[in-house]
Amino acid sequence: MLIFTSGFLGGFALWLFFPANPSFAAIKTPYFLALALFVLHRIEEYSMDFFDRLAAITGISTPDVGSWQVILLVLLSVGAWLLVPPLVSRGYPFGTYLAWTFFAAMGITELAHFVVFPWLTPQPFAYFPGMASVVLLAPAAWWGMQQLSRGA
């Protein structure tokens, strides 16, 4: 749970530390690039059984995709991130916060595929579902964080 919430908590800390209110034009390209790479990342995780591997590590079964818990999680995270373009374009600080959470989740939290998950497997440093796409996703998110911190 801490890994999955770190994007929102880390985004909140970054939003407080970098209080700029950038235009959407400043983050448009890294936002859409990271969003596309996030979709690719989710496809990799799904096709490589990420949640089954996570369930094996934690001993907690994966909830059904149609369960209210999963639907709520998707609405609160991905749904909120899809609000970034209209909210940032209108100059709402909450939109900038959501942009920070998106980029922090993609650029920091997703690094758990390299820093955390491999240590929890029988073969440390072996491939863990989602690793390959993070190689592209994280730098795109770092670019977005750079643009956000500039406040352009």
Side-chain angles (χ1 to χ4, degrees):
M1 181 189 87
L2 290 175
I3 292 171
F4 292 109
T5 59
S6 66
F8 282 90
L9 295 175
F12 180 68
L14 289 165
W15 179 60
L16 291 175
F17 192 72
F18 298 101
N21 201 15
S23 68
F24 183 67
I27 64 166
K28 181 179 181 177
T29 304
Y31 171 80
F32 285 117
L33 177 60
L35 189 62
L37 291 168
F38 175 61
V39 170
L40 178 69
H41 176 67
R42 296 295 297 146
I43 291 169
E44 178 190 3
E45 285 183 337
Y46 179 77
S47 65
M48 301 305 285
D49 298 321
F50 170 78
F51 287 104
D52 290 340
R53 294 279 302 273
L54 200 57
I57 290 169
T58 64
I60 299 171
S61 64
T62 304
D64 179 47
V65 175
S67 70
W68 70 268
Q69 297 96 330
V70 171
I71 292 170
L72 183 62
L73 178 65
V74 169
L75 287 175
L76 290 176
S77 60
V78 178
W81 295 332
L82 293 175
L83 293 173
V84 168
L87 294 178
V88 172
S89 293
R90 290 181 176 88
Y92 293 124
F94 186 66
T96 305
Y97 160 69
L98 291 177
W100 273 115
T101 65
F102 174 67
F103 289 129
M106 301 303 114
I108 299 170
T109 304
E110 291 296 349
L111 293 177
H113 287 278
F114 292 99
V115 179
V116 177
F117 298 139
W119 291 99
L120 304 174
T121 61
Q123 297 174 324
F125 304 111
Y127 170 81
F128 196 87
M131 272 183 159
S133 54
V134 171
V135 172
L136 299 173
L137 176 58
W142 300 336
W143 180 25
M145 287 189 278
Q146 177 201 30
Q147 295 299 101
L148 277 174
S149 66
R150 288 182 176 177

